[in-house]
Amino acid sequence: MMKGYDEIKRILALLGREDIPVYKGVGDTVTKPDDDGIGLPEVIPVEAEAVDNIINTVKSSDEIVYIITTGCATNIACALAKDLSIKDNMCVVWLGADFYDTGGAGG
């Protein structure tokens, strides 16, 4: 997470756009497998600046908020786990990723 955060800050500095806020996201796994092995894992919300920014932005808007995310949707999952009331006022555009060691496209 910190590498991505630092890179975004560096790119904004190169563009002369340090006025654009950047928020630190969740840097760890946030799911707990279910006990019986069926169903979906539980998302355990983790505190992070990006999670709070998502919640605050969506709740303060009268319009649908479009959120573009790349890679893991950890910040989105935590925001929804922390405050599910935001789900109807947001649209997530997710450019997914794959783990390199799972034999997917990356490995």
Side-chain angles (χ1 to χ4, degrees):
M1 183 277 303
M2 282 306 296
K3 286 182 182 180
Y5 174 83
D6 291 340
E7 184 66 9
I8 291 168
K9 298 284 277 185
R10 187 182 75 77
I11 291 169
L12 289 174
L14 288 171
L15 295 172
R17 292 303 313 263
E18 291 142 316
D19 58 308
I20 297 174
V22 180
Y23 302 95
K24 292 180 183 173
V26 176
D28 203 357
T29 303
V30 297
T31 56
K32 180 187 95 179
D34 61 343
D35 293 332
D36 57 10
I38 58 174
L40 298 173
E42 176 186 353
V43 174
I44 303 162
V46 175
E47 294 296 321
E49 293 174 352
V51 172
D52 291 336
N53 181 60
I54 291 167
I55 293 168
N56 294 336
T57 300
V58 172
K59 288 185 100 162
S60 67
S61 178
D62 293 330
E63 299 179 10
I64 298 291
V65 174
Y66 290 84
I67 301 169
I68 300 173
T69 185
T70 59
C72 296
T74 308
N75 295 319
I76 304 295
C78 283
L80 288 167
K82 191 173 177 181
D83 188 346
L84 191 57
S85 73
I86 65 173
K87 69 179 175 52
D88 293 328
N89 204 37
M90 62 188 272
C91 176
V92 177
V93 179
W94 183 10
L95 305 173
D98 193 1
F99 292 105
Y100 291 115
D101 62 352
T102 61

